[in-house]
Amino acid sequence: MKLINYTYETPESLEKFIRTYFRPNDHLLVQLFCGDVDRIKITQILHFLKRNFPHCVIIGASTAGEIKSGRIKTASIQISFTQLEKSSAKVYYFADVNFESGQKAASSILEKDTKVCIALAHPFGEDDSEDFIEGFNSIRADIPLSGGNAADDFLFQSAFVICEDQILDQGIVIATLSGKNLHVNNVYSLPWTQIGKELTITKSDGNTVYEIDYKPVKEVYQHYLGKDILQNLPNSAIEFPFVKVSDDINVCRSLIGCNDDGSLVFAGHLNEGDKVCFSMGNVEDMMDRAIFMQTQINEKPTEAILIYSCSARKLFLQEQLNYEFGLLQQIAPTAGFFTYGEFFHSEHKNQLLNVTTTVLTLSESDYIVSHTLGEKPEVNCSMLKSLTHLVNTTQHELDVNLNSLNQYKMILDQSAIVSKMDTSGNITYVNDAFCRVTGLSKEEILGSQHSRFRHPNSDVSVYRDLWGALQKREIWSGVLQCINPIGETFYIKSTLMPFLDEKGNIVEYITSSINITELILKEQLIEKHFKDELTGFGNREALFHRIRLDAKEKLLILLNLVGFSEINDYLGYDVGDELLKQIALFLMDTFDNHPDVVFRINGDEFAVLLCQNDGRLLANVHDKIKKMVHNLEKKVFTIKGYEVVVRLNVGVAQGDNDEIYMQSHIALKEAKIHNHAITFYDINEALKAKTRQNLQIIQKIRTAIENDRIVPFFQGIYDNKLHKITKYEVLMRLQEEDGSYLSPYYFLDQAKKTRLYEKLTKIMINKSFDYLKDFKVDFSINLTKGDILSTSVKECLYSNLKKYQCAHRVIIEIVESEGIENFGEITAFIHEVKKLGCRIAIDDFGTGYSNFAYLVKLKVDIIKIDGSLIKDIDTNETSAMTVETIISFAQKMGYITVAEFVDKMSVQQKLQSLHVDFSQGYLFSKPNPIISL
């Protein structure tokens, strides 16, 4: 790598220069730093360079001064040639300089070996390079940005950037440097010393500041820097920039403009709440920093040095800058320009700086060449008039207000909802924000106590700790759950502290809070819908969300634990639950400890979703999955003294659309049928044919919905004591085009794998409620776990219950064979509908995931015994004993029992002898689209 500088004079001299140093096929990064803004001349240069170096990358900008070989230049065109031997450069241009374009850049231009981006941005108008940097950081904060804003020699009117052979009056140009052997290092120098009291930005918009410490910004400048400072703003105050701390480094914000409304414009964002101090240039510190920068750079491989320095430094420190740049030139060739803001990568992110010298060093060599370091010259500095005024005013305020300021500052800086109370706990002051969150006026609040807003579900220990800390004269911080007088819950993050007099006695308490209700509710909503309660990993809904979210190539692995119910039955549910947790962790470990790829989607079923853009899809993915299954099946899990091994059925599919779940599910079912460990959908033609059949069924469902051919049927339920039908179960049917009816057996599984299933459930709810509104009979509707977790299905149910006022006749049958999970959500739903008057039945009890403990937790009313146990109860002794056990438990718990699949009298007689409350089956009633009472 070589960096060679050239000062443009004439086309002939440029041609002679490049023929001396370069070959046409050289890969060059060319930077033009233009103090001379003659666009015709610059355009000629650009066309000449592209013609002679077709492989070069060109970027550039207008300047407030140029830097060549350690010396400052003015009103010149400096051309810096960086000859790349092992690395590559590419150039990109974005017309907008904002947050969105920053995100787009970070998402689209970076390559695997990209080490740094050199960005030159237009600084005026709608262009906001700090917004761009924040957008870039939101995607790739790890990739350094160097460079800065173009300048126009302190005119603050027009500037331009250069991309290849174009001169552009807006946007941002970025050169990416990539290479395995490329070494990148960046350092910076800010020799501006903070002075005076800390101030708070209290009203701002981006880089425009209106108020500081709730006072007009110009008033603050006059107060601290003297009345003469206002005569020639911004030039009169440019030497006294603000300094704030960001990512553990000091960041300057220079004053660059004034607005007619009295606000001031800065060369970078100052956000409301930012803490700032005035600062002044410290020549001696600059000398120290220059040597420190030279030392840092001297310790790293360095072949080229690019300097992007603030124009304000050139204005006030030109002599010292030649010294600073000269030290850098001793190490390697230097080039750069004076900017209206410099881009720098601090420890965790990229930032926009002002009043700094930022240095980017590049090397394609691993060798470190040690150079003789410079010595600091003697400097003499004097205090300025404005600085003296600043120091004296600040010192006076600190002497008078130090005691009060420190205590109020600690609490009031925390948030915007503020209150005070006396030593008895009576509220003596609230601000408007406090009134808004409680819904009360100040007059209604003052004199009362905070306990009136305490939520009844609040943890008593929280308030005990709070008051304990205050009595010990300590600050307390935490989250409080509150309630306003109309019953609305809200959450606040609060900080409380006792206010002390000069003797250390408590005279009052101050509270400062922020309203985090929206954040808490969003977190609860996300966790509610996307988190499996047992394992803590994603659930079924989270999996489908991820599948829909990512349109790129993905691979889905569905894993089913063979015979898991036996582990629950023989070793206990606590062992089974712990096994599920450990398997989830095993899957996460297998896939590089990425928890976001693992999902528990059913009782004993897991999923692993790999996406192309996360780099975890491998060319030999089949072998990796086989190895994973082998390792999992041979692993011995030690749980509560038991050694547990598992067997798996696994289905795998790969693709880039929503059908991937259906395909992998078909593969899993195929693995179960043939007792295979793994079935890969993409190499199994029979499965693909089955998928085509499923797609035809899905289209049949979709057409039936569109043509209103999803209809409810009703099957009577026989009361064994009254000896007549007293209830009906609502059953779904799909009416074919020829008028015949199709049972859900033939289409419901396919519907559950699409977004059509919720539509089917809502159609059944709407139609059954409307049809049965005039029948004075009880009726039951079936809801799966997915229905209960669906907001739209629940809203549909609640709406019909309210519309027809029939909750006392409605029985909600929860399909038990799917496995009862997500207890928090399921029990909340049950509590809600029972409060409305509905009853709860567990369908298909006795198979699948049947668990008496679940029934107690869910507080059900009715148990529907699965037909597989009922149909041969008259001849199968095992079935009879199982049913008898269920009935005995139900009677003791006060549950009503319903036997399904009753189709012959001998079965009915057996059920009557066991005192089953209700019977349902073809013996009494076949499903029918109408009811005849």
Side-chain angles (χ1 to χ4, degrees):
M1 174 181 285
K2 294 180 181 178
L3 187 149
I4 303 174
N5 294 315
Y6 168 75
T7 302
Y8 180 78
E9 297 175 351
T10 65
E12 294 75 18
S13 65
L14 174 57
E15 182 173 5
K16 180 180 179 181
F17 173 82
I18 66 170
R19 294 192 186 284
T20 302
Y21 289 99
F22 306 111
R23 296 185 301 270
N25 290 326
D26 283 351
H27 188 44
L28 301 173
L29 169 63
V30 182
Q31 298 182 76
L32 271 71
F33 306 123
C34 304
D36 179 347
V37 294
D38 184 336
R39 296 195 177 206
I40 296 176
K41 184 189 301 183
I42 297 169
T43 300
Q44 291 174 343
I45 295 172
L46 296 175
H47 289 168
F48 175 83
L49 291 172
K50 291 304 291 186
R51 187 167 61 250
N52 284 274
F53 298 104
H55 302 296
C56 76
V57 167
I58 303 176
I59 62 173
S62 56
T63 76
E66 304 79 59
I67 302 166
K68 175 190 177 184
S69 302
R71 304 299 295 176
I72 298 172
K73 304 293 182 180
T74 303
S76 66
I77 298 177
Q78 298 294 330
I79 308 176
S80 166
F81 297 87
T82 304
Q83 190 174 34
L84 302 174
E85 298 172 353
K86 303 176 184 178
S87 309
S88 64
K90 293 183 180 180
V91 65
Y92 304 88
Y93 172 72
F94 296 88
D96 298 316
V97 188
N98 54 32
F99 186 89
E100 290 75 18
S101 60
Q103 288 186 312
K104 183 178 180 181
S107 301
S108 62
I109 70 174
L110 303 179
E111 299 176 344
K112 180 180 179 181
D113 294 324
T114 299
K115 298 296 179 61
V116 69
C117 297
I118 300 175
L120 305 178
H122 182 264
F124 304 133
E126 297 297 322
D127 290 333
D128 190 328
S129 57
E130 192 162 8
D131 267 354
F132 180 93
I133 291 172
E134 290 174 0
F136 191 97
N137 285 338
S138 71
I139 304 295
R140 289 298 301 271
D142 59 310
I143 296 295
L145 285 176
S146 188
N149 288 328
D152 64 349
D153 204 18
F154 299 102
L155 296 177
F156 300 108
Q157 295 174 351
S158 63
F160 59 79
V161 295
I162 295 170
C163 179
E164 297 290 73
D165 57 357
Q166 298 292 314
I167 301 174
L168 302 156
D169 292 319
Q170 66 178 50
I172 184 168
V173 58
I174 303 176
T176 61
L177 297 181
S178 305
K180 292 182 179 180
N181 298 311
L182 181 62
H183 296 276
V184 171
N185 183 33
N186 68 335
V187 294
Y188 90 117
S189 172
L190 175 64
W192 251 252
T193 301
Q194 299 178 51
I195 191 166
K197 64 177 286 188
E198 187 177 66
L199 309 170
T200 303
I201 305 298
T202 49
K203 185 178 180 182
S204 65
D205 182 10
N207 63 347
T208 301
V209 176
Y210 298 90
E211 293 182 1
I212 298 177
D213 285 343
Y214 301 101
K215 297 176 183 177
V217 61
K218 283 189 176 180
E219 183 179 316
V220 173
Y221 266 78
Q222 179 176 323
H223 181 67
Y224 290 109
L225 300 180
K227 62 181 180 179
D228 294 341
I229 203 72
L230 302 181
Q231 298 303 315
N232 191 30
L233 291 176
N235 292 340
S236 58
I238 198 170
E239 194 174 358
F240 298 96
F242 281 133
V243 172
K244 67 175 183 177
V245 176
S246 177
D247 199 25
D248 294 329
I249 68 169
N250 289 336
V251 176
C252 260
R253 287 291 176 256
S254 298
L255 182 63
I256 60 171
C258 305
N259 294 323
D260 293 338
D261 60 5
S263 60
L264 298 181
V265 181
F266 292 81
H269 291 183
L270 285 170
N271 302 314
E272 292 180 5
D274 279 351
K275 307 297 181 183
V276 299
C277 288
F278 282 106
S279 64
M280 62 165 290
N282 186 329
V283 174
E284 186 169 0
D285 187 39
M286 178 182 176
M287 301 299 183
D288 291 335
R289 285 292 303 177
I291 294 175
F292 178 72
M293 279 200 306
Q294 187 192 43
T295 302
Q296 282 187 303
I297 295 170
N298 199 41
E299 295 172 350
K300 300 288 179 66
T302 304
E303 294 179 292
I305 299 177
L306 300 177
I307 302 171
Y308 305 98
S309 186
C310 183
S311 54
R313 293 166 68 92
K314 176 174 175 283
L315 197 64
F316 299 109
L317 301 169
Q318 185 160 341
E319 179 180 345
Q320 290 79 17
L321 284 174
N322 279 322
Y323 166 75
E324 181 180 71
F325 299 160
L327 293 180
L328 300 177
Q329 181 67 26
Q330 293 176 12
I331 298 176
T334 59
F337 77 104
F338 289 95
T339 76
Y340 283 169
E342 307 78 60
F343 305 156
F344 180 76
H345 190 270
S346 52
E347 184 175 0
H348 303 105
K349 64 180 181 179
N350 294 292
Q351 300 198 64
L352 174 67
L353 306 183
N354 302 141
V355 202
T356 61
T357 288
T358 61
V359 176
L360 173 67
T361 71
L362 303 172
S363 177
E364 293 175 320
S365 169
D366 296 332
Y367 295 105
I368 300 174
V369 179
S370 181
H371 300 82
T372 303
L373 301 181
E375 296 182 0
K376 185 175 73 173
E378 293 185 4
V379 293
N380 293 312
C381 304
S382 61
M383 287 294 187
L384 300 176
K385 180 180 179 181
S386 295
L387 176 60
T388 304
H389 186 86
L390 171 64
V391 173
N392 290 339
T393 302
T394 303
Q395 186 62 52
H396 174 73
E397 289 183 348
L398 291 176
D399 289 343
V400 173
N401 299 314
L402 185 60
N403 182 54
S404 298
L405 178 63
N406 284 338
Q407 295 180 68
Y408 276 111
K409 173 181 174 298
M410 291 171 68
I411 185 67
L412 294 179
D413 284 350
Q414 301 297 318
S415 62
I417 302 174
V418 180
S419 66
K420 295 196 296 184
M421 56 185 174
D422 60 24
T423 54
S424 299
N426 300 312
I427 300 173
T428 58
Y429 167 82
V430 293
N431 66 353
D432 292 339
F434 194 103
C435 295
R436 286 194 297 271
V437 76
T438 59
L440 299 175
S441 66
K442 291 183 180 180
E443 291 73 19
E444 293 173 304
I445 298 172
L446 297 180
S448 62
Q449 298 196 342
H450 284 91
S451 57
R452 68 183 293 190
F453 304 113
R454 184 185 302 178
H455 197 283
N457 294 338
S458 296
D459 187 347
V460 176
S461 64
V462 171
Y463 289 91
R464 183 170 60 247
D465 294 342
L466 182 158
W467 282 107
L470 294 181
Q471 296 306 310
K472 290 188 289 186
R473 294 168 172 75
E474 296 174 350
I475 296 174
W476 182 90
S477 293
V479 175
L480 300 175
Q481 183 182 11
C482 305
I483 189 169
N484 63 24
I486 62 174
E488 295 175 337
T489 299
F490 61 96
Y491 297 85
I492 55 175
K493 184 176 182 180
S494 296
T495 301
L496 292 86
M497 66 170 283
F499 187 77
L500 312 176
D501 61 17
E502 64 278 5
K503 296 181 180 179
N505 298 317
I506 299 175
V507 295
E508 62 180 346
Y509 303 97
I510 306 173
T511 304
S512 178
S513 310
I514 56 174
N515 190 344
I516 59 170
T517 305
E518 184 176 354
L519 178 62
I520 294 290
L521 294 179
K522 284 183 178 179
E523 289 178 348
Q524 291 175 347
L525 184 63
I526 292 171
E527 187 165 338
K528 175 181 179 181
H529 285 289
F530 292 139
K531 188 175 182 181
D532 173 57
E533 291 184 353
L534 176 64
T535 64
F537 289 84
N539 59 12
R540 184 186 187 91
E541 287 69 33
L543 172 64
F544 286 132
H545 176 74
R546 278 286 305 280
I547 291 175
R548 292 192 294 266
L549 188 66
D550 197 327
K552 297 181 180 179
E553 182 80 3
K554 43 191 174 284
L555 181 139
L556 179 62
I557 309 168
L558 295 183
L559 306 96
N560 180 259
L561 306 184
V562 178
F564 177 73
S565 60
E566 296 176 0
I567 295 174
N568 282 337
D569 292 340
Y570 296 116
L571 302 183
Y573 281 85
D574 53 345
V575 174
D577 288 348
E578 181 61 28
L579 176 63
L580 293 174
K581 294 177 186 178
Q582 292 194 25
I583 289 174
L585 293 173
F586 176 90
L587 294 174
M588 181 184 72
D589 293 340
T590 300
F591 293 96
D592 303 329
N593 286 314
H594 288 284
D596 58 318
V597 307
V598 178
F599 305 84
R600 178 176 174 240
I601 60 175
N602 216 324
D604 58 359
E605 194 168 310
F606 290 87
V608 176
L609 181 65
L610 306 177
C611 298
Q612 182 69 56
N613 60 344
D614 61 21
R616 289 174 290 217
L617 274 182
L618 307 175
N620 59 342
V621 67
H622 287 194
D623 293 337
K624 182 169 184 177
I625 294 172
K626 290 176 182 177
K627 183 178 180 182
M628 175 199 72
V629 173
H630 174 73
N631 290 340
L632 185 53
E633 288 192 329
K634 75 176 185 178
K635 181 176 177 60
V636 178
F637 296 91
T638 302
I639 304 172
K640 298 185 180 297
Y642 297 103
E643 291 186 346
V644 183
V645 294
V646 298
R647 289 190 303 112
L648 300 174
N649 293 136
V650 179
V652 184
Q654 188 168 348
D656 59 359
N657 52 47
D658 288 352
E659 295 173 5
I660 189 174
Y661 179 80
M662 181 177 65
Q663 294 168 352
S664 58
H665 193 269
I666 290 172
L668 176 61
K669 289 182 70 173
E670 192 74 7
K672 290 180 178 179
I673 292 171
H674 299 289
N675 197 26
H676 292 162
I678 309 172
T679 298
F680 293 95
Y681 176 86
D682 57 330
I683 60 174
N684 193 313
E685 292 301 324
L687 292 187
K688 293 182 179 180
K690 188 176 292 185
T691 300
R692 287 191 292 270
Q693 180 183 0
N694 286 339
L695 291 175
Q696 292 171 357
I697 294 174
I698 290 170
Q699 183 56 41
K700 183 190 291 284
I701 299 169
R702 186 175 286 111
T703 302
I705 292 173
E706 293 172 353
N707 293 281
D708 194 27
R709 288 193 279 106
I710 301 297
V711 296
F713 271 43
F714 307 93
Q715 184 177 30
I717 301 175
Y718 185 80
D719 189 320
N720 290 329
K721 294 179 180 177
L722 299 179
H723 303 292
K724 65 178 182 179
I725 291 175
T726 58
K727 309 177 191 296
Y728 288 86
E729 180 179 359
V730 180
L731 303 170
M732 184 188 304
R733 294 292 185 269
L734 185 153
Q735 188 178 23
E736 298 273 34
E737 293 182 1
D738 62 2
S740 61
Y741 293 97
L742 196 64
S743 166
Y745 173 82
Y746 297 101
F747 65 85
L748 208 57
D749 278 350
Q750 288 77 11
K752 287 180 179 180
K753 299 177 182 65
T754 70
R755 303 180 191 180
L756 299 175
Y757 184 72
E758 283 189 7
K759 293 183 179 180
L760 295 176
T761 303
K762 289 188 283 188
I763 289 171
M764 292 302 296
I765 292 173
N766 290 328
K767 287 191 173 184
S768 60
F769 272 73
D770 182 65
Y771 179 78
L772 293 167
K773 64 180 182 296
D774 298 322
F775 292 87
K776 304 302 180 184
V777 295
D778 295 350
F779 63 97
S780 60
I781 57 174
N782 289 282
L783 295 183
T784 66
K785 178 189 66 178
D787 292 326
I788 295 172
L789 298 178
S790 167
T791 301
S792 66
V793 170
K794 287 188 288 189
E795 288 176 352
C796 177
L797 174 64
Y798 296 150
S799 174
N800 278 276
L801 290 171
K802 181 178 180 181
K803 178 179 179 180
Y804 296 108
Q805 294 295 305
C806 60
H808 62 286
R809 295 195 288 119
V810 176
I811 300 167
I812 307 296
E813 291 193 21
I814 299 177
V815 183
E816 197 272 340
S817 61
E818 289 198 353
I820 305 300
E821 306 168 9
N822 303 81
F823 274 115
E825 295 153 281
I826 302 296
T827 55
F829 168 78
I830 291 175
H831 176 76
E832 184 67 24
V833 294
K834 292 189 74 169
K835 189 168 63 174
L836 295 174
C838 298
R839 283 159 289 170
I840 300 296
I842 292 296
D843 198 13
D844 300 331
F845 190 81
T847 60
Y849 300 88
S850 298
N851 186 320
F852 292 124
Y854 285 179
L855 297 178
V856 176
K857 291 182 180 180
L858 293 173
K859 298 181 180 179
V860 302
D861 303 291
I862 301 168
I863 298 175
K864 298 193 73 174
I865 306 170
D866 188 74
S868 64
L869 297 173
I870 298 299
K871 63 183 180 181
D872 61 352
I873 192 174
D874 57 333
T875 59
N876 188 316
E877 186 176 346
T878 301
S879 295
M881 287 191 296
T882 302
V883 172
E884 188 174 358
T885 301
I886 295 172
I887 293 170
S888 175
F889 173 79
Q891 290 172 345
K892 291 178 181 179
M893 297 301 296
Y895 301 148
I896 293 172
T897 53
V898 179
E900 299 180 297
F901 283 35
V902 182
D903 57 4
K904 52 186 177 180
M905 184 54 68
S906 58
V907 170
Q908 172 65 6
Q909 291 171 346
K910 181 67 174 177
L911 293 171
Q912 287 179 319
S913 69
L914 294 175
H915 303 292
V916 173
D917 298 306
F918 291 87
S919 296
Q920 180 178 352
Y922 279 21
L923 181 64
F924 304 103
S925 171
K926 293 183 178 181
N928 199 290
I930 60 174
I931 292 178
S932 298
L933 296 180

